Amino acid sequence: MVQFSGFQQLLFRKFLQERHWRVDEIAQKLNVGRSTMYRWIDGEAHFPVDLVGMLTIVTGDRDFIDFVLQGTGYTLAPLPTPEVEVGRVEAETLDVAREAGKFVGVVQQTLRDGHIDRKDIESICSAGRDLQREVEEVRVAAEGTARPGLRVAK
């Protein structure tokens, strides 16, 4: 007779009693054979602890990882994702349009007299740097990169 551990009982309940997922689909996603998956569910073999995270991800069921953490005094919290402030992105985009207009105006002014001198080059470069700074502010606002390591909300 097979003796179930607590985790095997959880697998058995989720896969065979409640039938939340198809065993063959989850086995494929875990890159294991269907028979291996059934051995884990039936309690004939122990489920590898290093696959618990992937099982949680592919099923979307936190019960598996929570089972491992129970009694430890720890819990999981999802990674925070910054919300992109749409109003800020729109405002920054308008700033880019304004600076692009200024840049075009500087270039047009320079071309009016038919020659480019040192002062004209400095004006074009300055307007280009201002435009580049505004484009970077849009990128930062759009990507939500207020803190490194956070995922971008899409």
Side-chain angles (χ1 to χ4, degrees), residues 19-68:
R19 298 183 184 269
H20 289 278
W21 309 279
R22 289 183 40 170
V23 173
D24 57 335
E25 289 176 359
I26 299 303
Q28 182 181 18
K29 290 178 181 179
L30 293 176
N31 202 28
V32 300
R34 186 179 65 173
S35 61
T36 300
M37 192 75 189
Y38 273 111
R39 284 198 329 265
W40 293 334
I41 293 168
D42 291 337
E44 295 173 15
H46 292 286
F47 190 88
V49 70
D50 57 323
L51 287 180
V52 173
M54 184 57 71
L55 180 63
T56 300
I57 291 168
V58 300
T59 61
D61 191 336
R62 283 190 46 173
D63 287 350
F64 298 113
I65 198 78
D66 287 343
F67 179 90
V68 173

Side-chain angles (χ1 to χ4, degrees), residues 13-142:
R13 181 173 52 85
K14 294 281 188 172
F15 281 93
L16 299 183
Q17 290 177 332
E18 298 172 5
R19 298 183 184 269
H20 289 278
W21 309 279
R22 289 183 40 170
V23 173
D24 57 335
E25 289 176 359
I26 299 303
Q28 182 181 18
K29 290 178 181 179
L30 293 176
N31 202 28
V32 300
R34 186 179 65 173
S35 61
T36 300
M37 192 75 189
Y38 273 111
R39 284 198 329 265
W40 293 334
I41 293 168
D42 291 337
E44 295 173 15
H46 292 286
F47 190 88
V49 70
D50 57 323
L51 287 180
V52 173
M54 184 57 71
L55 180 63
T56 300
I57 291 168
V58 300
T59 61
D61 191 336
R62 283 190 46 173
D63 287 350
F64 298 113
I65 198 78
D66 287 343
F67 179 90
V68 173
L69 292 174
Q70 86 184 29
T72 65
Y74 291 94
T75 187
L76 284 182
L79 291 174
T81 56
E83 294 298 320
V84 174
E85 298 175 38
V86 176
R88 179 173 174 226
V89 174
E90 289 173 352
E92 295 296 345
T93 302
L94 290 173
D95 289 345
V96 168
R98 183 192 68 237
E99 289 302 324
K102 286 181 183 179
F103 179 78
V104 169
V106 168
V107 171
Q108 287 175 338
Q109 181 70 26
T110 300
L111 296 176
R112 280 198 185 115
D113 62 7
H115 73 282
I116 299 176
D117 60 18
R118 188 79 165 147
K119 183 180 174 194
D120 293 332
I121 292 172
E122 288 173 4
S123 294
I124 291 171
C125 288
S126 176
R129 284 189 299 273
D130 291 345
L131 176 57
Q132 188 175 16
R133 183 178 56 252
E134 293 300 333
V135 168
E136 179 63 15
E137 288 180 11
V138 168
R139 185 193 66 76
V140 168

